[in-house]
Amino acid sequence: MASRALPPIPRRHLLGMGAAAVGSGALWWLAARDGEPPPSGEVVVSTGVPSGVYAQYGQLLRSQLARDLPQVRVVLTPSAGSVENIERLLSGEADYAIATADSLASHRAADGTGALTACARLYDDYMQLVVPAASPVRSVAQLAGLRVGVGQDRSGVQLVTRELLTAAGLDMDRDVTAAREGIHTMPRMLEQDRLDAFFWSGGLPTRAVEQLASRHAIRLVPLGELLPRLRQQGEHTAYYRAAVVPPDAYPEVSGTTGVDTVAVANLLVTTAGADVTLTERLTASVIRGRDHIATVVHAAQRVDLRTAIYTQPLPLHPGAARYYRSVKS
């Protein structure tokens, strides 16, 4: 009997159906295998602040998916960052999202339900502590008493910032004047002398930092010395690694040498009950679109089959795993 197209299931019901819907065949879209129509419908992807790398990546991924899955309408929703993205997945407000490994590990430790799975490891976020070029600040400990941009509430930036300040012996709520702002506002605040420093976590280069450097003399403060203490502050800190911001990441930033810092992986994440076929096809599109996306998000050049499967602390979604098996067979 020929396959019959089913009407789309409203988004608000999709995540509640979970794996049972997949098993029963009552899918939001139909599988593209065995001559059936390709996936169709609306997919919501939660990204990040407008001038951040998450937002750029989301826009380019949507462009790639328009070619690979033309019957799928991708809706991008901005967010404060990783923590809010996780919340949106769990509430059903988003179907896919980008989040850092440390924020996902922190969530798993607190929640323990295994509700989230991963499609791919994408690229690494680099922690960046930005100060005016003439600032006396040479270490995180010297931020005591200063006005510091710490990232928006419910952002991955703020999670790492709090940990870095703790590793330096500072309390974010008592020892600095914390501005809970995002990358869309912190550069201008620094330029206007409303901040003494700000933290940012993003792929290299971050457009907002590039633009700030073109207008205002800035410098990056090394963070690498904090890594040993950072890794003693909880299970989620195991996902931080030593990294270097290369001098060509921001050619206009003061200094000609690399800056030691801390990096953490970003993952493309969904729920355990997300549709298997769509997730398989979307994962394939992420890998296939690497070169296209990397024309703007240079960090995306690091996305490939050798690294994409390393999605700790989350297991691979069955659809993503099926894709990786198919290209290795």
Side-chain angles (χ1 to χ4, degrees), residues 190-235:
L190 186 95
E191 190 176 6
Q192 296 172 346
D193 195 29
R194 295 160 56 202
L195 284 180
D196 299 301
F198 70 81
F199 285 92
W200 176 246
S201 175
L204 297 177
T206 295
R207 181 172 55 190
V209 177
E210 281 185 306
Q211 292 172 343
L212 174 61
S214 70
R215 303 187 306 263
H216 193 75
I218 60 173
R219 176 168 49 82
L220 298 182
V221 176
L223 302 171
E225 66 178 7
L226 296 175
L227 187 60
R229 277 171 283 173
L230 194 64
R231 284 181 169 166
Q232 298 172 9
Q233 293 175 193
E235 291 183 13

Side-chain angles (χ1 to χ4, degrees), residues 2-329:
S3 299
R4 180 173 59 87
L6 300 178
I9 297 172
R11 283 204 67 264
R12 63 183 179 275
H13 299 318
L14 178 62
L15 293 183
M17 292 172 65
V22 176
S24 68
L27 300 178
W28 181 26
W29 43 71
L30 294 176
R33 294 170 179 262
D34 301 323
E36 292 183 335
S40 63
E42 181 181 280
V43 170
V44 175
V45 180
S46 190
T47 58
V49 295
S51 53
V53 176
Y54 279 10
Q56 286 181 292
Y57 190 93
Q59 291 164 3
L60 292 160
L61 178 59
R62 178 170 61 183
S63 173
Q64 181 66 35
L65 289 171
R67 289 192 285 270
D68 295 341
L69 299 173
Q71 296 185 48
V72 173
R73 178 173 176 263
V74 178
V75 176
L76 303 179
T77 58
S79 77
S82 293
V83 176
E84 186 172 13
N85 286 349
I86 292 169
E87 293 171 355
R88 285 181 175 174
L89 285 172
L90 295 172
S91 69
E93 296 175 75
D95 303 304
Y96 297 88
I98 307 172
T100 54
D102 61 320
S103 63
L104 291 162
S106 181
H107 162 74
R108 278 175 67 88
D111 180 70
T113 64
L116 299 180
T117 57
C119 303
R121 174 175 176 160
L122 298 178
Y123 59 87
D124 286 353
D125 270 354
Y126 288 69
M127 279 305 294
Q128 301 158 60
L129 174 53
V130 181
V131 298
S135 170
V137 173
R138 300 285 170 176
S139 69
V140 175
Q142 292 177 326
L143 294 174
L146 300 184
R147 303 163 299 173
V148 181
V150 300
Q152 292 174 279
D153 292 337
R154 302 161 78 193
S155 69
V157 178
Q158 192 177 114
L159 174 66
V160 190
T161 296
R162 186 180 291 276
E163 297 289 356
L164 285 167
L165 288 168
T166 299
L170 301 178
D171 185 291
M172 192 182 86
D173 300 315
R174 295 196 305 265
D175 296 326
V176 301
T177 301
R180 299 168 184 267
E181 301 282 344
I183 195 64
H184 57 301
T185 55
M186 293 189 295
R188 186 65 69 181
M189 292 175 70
L190 186 95
E191 190 176 6
Q192 296 172 346
D193 195 29
R194 295 160 56 202
L195 284 180
D196 299 301
F198 70 81
F199 285 92
W200 176 246
S201 175
L204 297 177
T206 295
R207 181 172 55 190
V209 177
E210 281 185 306
Q211 292 172 343
L212 174 61
S214 70
R215 303 187 306 263
H216 193 75
I218 60 173
R219 176 168 49 82
L220 298 182
V221 176
L223 302 171
E225 66 178 7
L226 296 175
L227 187 60
R229 277 171 283 173
L230 194 64
R231 284 181 169 166
Q232 298 172 9
Q233 293 175 193
E235 291 183 13
H236 64 284
T237 64
Y239 294 94
Y240 301 134
R241 68 171 182 84
V244 175
V245 178
D248 61 352
Y250 300 113
E252 296 189 63
V253 171
S254 300
T256 57
T257 60
V259 177
D260 292 336
T261 190
V262 172
V264 61
N266 282 298
L267 309 182
L268 182 62
V269 186
T270 189
T271 59
D275 178 70
V276 172
T277 298
L278 176 76
T279 303
E280 178 185 18
R281 299 281 296 275
L282 184 142
T283 303
S285 194
V286 166
I287 302 301
R288 186 181 302 118
R290 182 192 71 167
D291 292 340
H292 162 65
I293 294 172
T295 58
V296 176
V297 181
H298 303 311
Q301 293 169 346
R302 300 177 184 273
V303 180
D304 60 35
L305 289 172
R306 293 170 296 176
T307 60
I309 60 174
Y310 295 108
T311 59
Q312 293 82 2
L314 299 184
L316 283 170
H317 183 278
R322 191 163 76 177
Y323 165 71
Y324 295 122
R325 285 195 300 268
S326 72
V327 294
K328 289 186 177 182
S329 59

